[in-house]
Amino acid sequence: GNKCYPCTMMMTDLYTFAQTEWHDYYNEVTCHAGGLTSNDPANSPAADVLERYVSPDGYPYVTINFYGGRLGTNGNPQYFVQQASAALKRVVKKYEQGGANVGIAINSVAEGTSVYSRVAITAAVEAEYKVTAWLLENNIMGNQTGATEDHQKVYNHAVRNIAGEYNSSNVLGESIGVLAAGQSYDTAFELPVINNNWNITNMDVMVIVTAKNGQGRWEVVNTAVCPA
């Protein structure tokens, strides 16, 4: 939130981490929501729902793949880089041999007051999958509490909308059923730009594919981002 001083430190942590080689291994979403976002230009109805889905017990809060552990901030960006690198290594290690469980192709077009995305996924591993699309906005200028650096005054990857009928217990879309290895699935999404203050020319679409794991939880198996 823009009224949150520790969030300013986290923005520097994330900015620092994005300069490392690990930036090839993740796509980032920022969720400006909760009780510290009055007049926050990066807030949105989708952000408020996503915050309830993740259910953080404090701010700021970073999670990998929704339940991959919490990363905090202590004002030392290099310490955050160490912690985030270790967390991502655990995720990447699962896919070192065979690569991602699915491949993703996206074509996104901004037209009128919506962004439309055509999405194709191809499974490398047989599983039950979900696929969804999130609308993200970049280059949002904000009056951030405690900001001293330019990168602390610009909000990127802010979630603006989530495809379909999302709610606080499901932001990942509906099951598309089981795909066999090598099987493809095509779909399309419309992501309305519902606020006149949002800049459609700064929008990206992030596609998230999840698979049901052995514990019955939906685990992120790949993401991809495409400018509108």
Side-chain angles (χ1 to χ4, degrees), residues 28-32 40-44 46-47 115 134-142 154-162 191-206 225-228:
E28 176 185 329
V29 174
T30 56
C31 175
H32 289 237
D40 188 329
N43 180 233
S44 68
V115 176
W134 291 9
L135 188 65
L136 312 180
E137 185 176 348
N138 301 300
N139 297 317
I140 304 167
M141 301 303 297
V154 181
Y155 308 141
N156 291 310
H157 324 295
V159 62
R160 290 305 203 187
N161 213 338
I162 297 172
L191 292 153
V193 178
I194 62 174
N195 189 310
N196 290 334
N197 292 322
W198 300 354
N199 189 341
I200 197 170
T201 63
N202 290 338
M203 297 291 188
D204 291 336
V205 174
M206 186 174 82
V225 171
C226 178

Side-chain angles (χ1 to χ4, degrees), residues 21-158:
E21 68 276 7
W22 282 103
H23 203 219
D24 292 338
Y25 291 90
Y26 69 93
N27 287 309
E28 176 185 329
V29 174
T30 56
C31 175
H32 289 237
L36 298 169
T37 54
S38 61
N39 299 315
D40 188 329
N43 180 233
S44 68
D48 291 334
V49 170
L50 178 59
E51 186 255 354
R52 294 195 296 272
Y53 177 83
V54 177
S55 298
D57 56 7
Y59 303 88
Y61 182 102
V62 173
T63 183
I64 297 173
N65 292 7
F66 301 111
Y67 56 95
R70 175 179 175 174
L71 299 174
T73 183
N74 65 358
N76 181 346
Q78 294 309 316
Y79 178 75
F80 178 86
V81 167
Q82 292 174 6
Q83 297 300 302
S85 299
L88 276 184
K89 282 178 185 176
R90 291 193 293 271
V91 176
V92 172
K93 189 174 182 180
K94 295 170 60 177
Y95 301 102
E96 279 181 337
Q97 300 302 318
N101 283 12
V102 295
I104 304 171
I106 319 170
N107 181 34
S108 297
V109 177
E111 203 171 275
T113 58
S114 291
V115 176
Y116 300 88
S117 289
R118 172 98 183 265
V119 178
I121 67 171
T122 300
V125 175
E126 181 172 311
E128 183 180 357
Y129 291 100
K130 289 183 176 182
V131 56
T132 189
W134 291 9
L135 188 65
L136 312 180
E137 185 176 348
N138 301 300
N139 297 317
I140 304 167
M141 301 303 297
N143 183 20
Q144 181 69 34
T145 295
T148 57
E149 305 292 336
D150 288 345
H151 69 260
Q152 297 168 336
K153 305 171 187 176
V154 181
Y155 308 141
N156 291 310
H157 324 295

